[in-house]
Amino acid sequence: MSSIPSTQLLTNSDYRDWFESQTLRRFLRYVQIFTTSDPHSDTHPTSDNQWQLARILIQELEELGITDVTLTDFCYVIARIPPSPGYETATPIGFLAHLDTAPDFSGQNVKPKVWESYDGTPLELSPGWILDPRDNPALLDYRNETLITSDGTTLLGADDKAGIAEIMAALAFLTEHPEFSHGPLEILFTPDEEVGKGVAKLPVKSLKSTFAYTLDGSAEGTYNAQCFTGYTIGVTFTGRMIHPGDARGIMANAVTMAGAFIAGLPRSESPEATDGEYGFYCPQEMSGSMEQAFFRLFIRDFRREEIDRRLEYLKLLAKTVEAGFPGGKVELSIDKQYLNIKEYIEPHPEVIANLVKAIEATGIPAVPELIRGGTDGARLSELGIPTPNIFAGGHNFHSRFEWIGLRAMVRAAQVVVNLSCIWAAGGEIAGGEPED
Ligand SMILES: [Zn+2]
């Protein structure tokens, strides 16, 4: 395996027209397919409409000449692209995007609008619905560029059909340009990411990727190698019941106990009081009566020590409340939901180092951002395939004001190509341009 000359990595202006037409054409086709997932369904996929996009992608992959293409019984599209001759032993890399759109807002009858040569003024998506750069200053980075929005009656679906279009454009490019050498590549288009089931039926054991990248992030140039670690904690309060008239010194009221417990949670560590790298306790639900009450909360943080500190505090709080209500009982049940992907990615620094090289080769700095939530990449990382997230370019996810710049889609597709080439070269990039 030899190093790759830096001149062979794509900058944003390379093959720009080709990438623009490839990403835009595909994106406009995908967003018009209704793929909203259903949080109330127990089936896999959670909504039948996701099959349509999956089947179209299978056909398009085959049209690219890719022969190892599978649609699983649970609507996962899996494609494997064999390595360029001589790169059979390169590290196998995966790229993922999700088929579904969020159930938070209508994703049916999406009518995308293409705004060429954006002039920096507010965009009237439809009467009464204005996408205004005063609320969305990132729009101004796309002056004189092409923007895509919905018509204001639905979401757009850039989350995550931009990711799919970018991966497909990158594959089309690599097929047309065999001089861009790559190792074994694996493509995964997954259903139900938005309802937290994107990895539920993924045949993880059969996957070949050593590392993978989701194209499901937001602003151009950003990537995510950290998400929250999440725990959910159930608290059961058992009281001691007696007729309230005879209760003095005897009763332990489960409802009052629950109130004391909730009052003990620090307001300064709530979701509404924190941002950036700070985590929180978040009360989620409660129910019960004087005899028994139940309360559920979740805790989030980027740092393991902070999670452990909060778990210790909750245990102490439970003991304190119990001591204050003789005869009553407070029990905790603690469940891990997901871990910060950092814990899986950090032992493999080349995963991020190669990504940073791939983004910066296109001509902008690579900007790390924290995800204040979990990702499907976190589940996949936990299952053995460390998976950070790359920008797909969209903004205002899950809303009628969702928008994306075409330049960002082109750049994301180029990052996929660059990453494929950099991994094939074992991460080695040889010098810059020769000087005359
Ligand atoms: Zn997404």
Side-chain angles (χ1 to χ4, degrees):
M1 236 176 286
S2 59
S3 63
I4 180 173
S6 61
T7 46
Q8 211 193 318
L9 295 173
L10 295 172
T11 70
N12 195 227
S13 53
D14 291 337
Y15 303 94
R16 178 76 186 254
D17 293 345
W18 186 91
F19 274 107
E20 283 192 351
S21 86
Q22 278 282 329
T23 50
L24 184 62
R25 188 168 51 83
R26 291 177 189 276
F27 180 67
L28 295 179
R29 185 182 318 141
Y30 305 153
V31 295
Q32 291 179 69
I33 302 166
F34 171 44
T35 62
T36 306
S37 48
D38 179 358
H40 306 296
S41 162
D42 291 326
T43 60
H44 297 275
T46 61
S47 60
D48 271 342
N49 48 40
Q50 297 178 70
W51 286 106
Q52 193 193 348
L53 179 55
R55 291 200 183 97
I56 287 172
L57 290 167
I58 292 280
Q59 194 188 336
E60 290 188 1
L61 285 161
E62 286 170 350
E63 281 165 12
L64 290 177
I66 299 166
T67 51
D68 188 351
V69 177
T70 313
L71 179 57
T72 75
D73 293 345
F74 299 107
C75 199
Y76 289 82
V77 175
I78 304 175
R80 297 198 177 92
I81 295 89
S84 309
Y87 291 86
E88 292 77 7
T89 57
T91 309
I93 296 300
F95 292 103
L96 286 85
H98 61 88
L99 300 163
D100 62 320
T101 59
D104 316 12
F105 202 75
S106 172
Q108 197 161 15
N109 294 320
V110 173
K111 295 183 200 72
K113 287 189 146 179
V114 179
W115 310 77
E116 286 173 14
S117 310
Y118 174 58
D119 62 3
T121 59
L123 296 173
E124 186 169 40
L125 307 183
S126 55
W129 299 114
I130 314 284
L131 177 61
D132 194 327
R134 276 172 296 190
D135 311 320
N136 298 270
L139 281 168
L140 299 176
D141 296 337
Y142 293 88
R143 271 209 185 95
N144 305 316
E145 303 266 351
T146 300
L147 295 178
I148 305 109
T149 67
S150 76
D151 66 357
T153 62
T154 64
L155 51 68
L156 173 61
D159 174 16
D160 186 24
K161 287 161 183 171
I164 298 178
E166 290 151 4
I167 292 171
M168 291 297 289
L171 293 183
F173 183 85
L174 289 171
T175 343
E176 278 185 31
H177 294 270
E179 71 275 20
F180 284 75
S181 304
H182 58 83
L185 301 177
E186 192 166 50
I187 306 304
L188 295 161
F189 297 132
T190 62
D192 297 329
E193 191 272 349
E194 298 289 2
V195 292
K197 293 178 179 169
V199 181
K201 294 286 178 185
L202 183 66
V204 177
K205 288 217 167 63
S206 73
L207 299 184
K208 306 272 191 276
S209 305
T210 308
F211 305 111
Y213 298 87
T214 47
L215 274 97
D216 195 15
S218 185
E220 190 174 354
T222 61
Y223 68 92
N224 316 107
Q226 285 210 50
C227 65
F228 272 151
T229 288
Y231 274 74
T232 175
I233 300 103
V235 192
T236 307
F237 304 90
T238 310
R240 179 159 64 171
M241 279 315 296
I242 184 160
H243 189 282
D246 307 317
R248 184 168 185 180
I250 302 169
M251 179 194 271
N253 184 332
V255 174
T256 316
M257 290 166 72
F261 188 94
I262 294 168
L265 298 175
R267 288 291 310 274
S268 60
E269 293 181 42
S270 62
E272 61 270 33
T274 52
D275 59 13
E277 63 185 282
Y278 296 97
F280 52 73
Y281 302 86
C282 182
Q284 188 177 23
E285 60 167 312
M286 64 180 305
S287 58
S289 63
M290 294 163 78
E291 197 163 358
Q292 192 162 67
F294 181 77
F295 170 59
R296 181 187 301 286
L297 76 159
F298 53 86
I299 59 172
R300 300 283 186 263
D301 209 284
F302 294 102
R303 286 154 297 184
R304 183 76 237 179
E305 317 82 79
E306 290 293 282
I307 289 288
D308 290 341
R309 175 179 68 78
R310 291 197 178 90
L311 288 174
E312 282 313 306
Y313 177 71
L314 291 172
K315 288 178 198 166
L316 188 67
L317 182 59
K319 282 200 182 118
T320 309
V321 170
E322 199 173 81
F325 292 82
K329 240 167 81 182
V330 184
E331 288 159 300
L332 297 183
S333 71
I334 297 172
D335 288 300
K336 189 189 79 187
Q337 293 173 288
Y338 46 82
L339 291 183
N340 187 344
I341 40 177
K342 179 182 165 204
E343 308 198 16
Y344 304 102
I345 295 171
E346 255 182 7
H348 309 281
E350 67 275 26
V351 174
I352 297 304
N354 288 352
L355 174 57
V356 168
K357 287 174 196 167
I359 294 174
E360 295 193 338
T362 69
I364 52 169
V367 180
E369 279 185 355
L370 304 169
I371 307 177
R372 288 178 65 79
T375 68
D376 267 358
R379 276 296 291 151
L380 201 58
S381 297
E382 193 175 350
L383 293 167
I385 306 176
T387 305
N389 188 30
I390 310 176
F391 71 94
H395 292 263
N396 298 342
F397 285 176
H398 306 185
S399 86
R400 67 171 88 238
F401 293 115
E402 199 182 356
W403 63 273
I404 189 164
L406 182 53
R407 186 189 67 211
M409 277 204 278
V410 168
R411 195 184 298 276
Q414 292 168 327
V415 166
V416 171
V417 172
N418 285 348
L419 256 179
S420 306
C421 299
I422 291 170
W423 274 103
E428 296 296 324
I429 299 177
E433 310 255 352
E435 282 181 36
D436 286 323

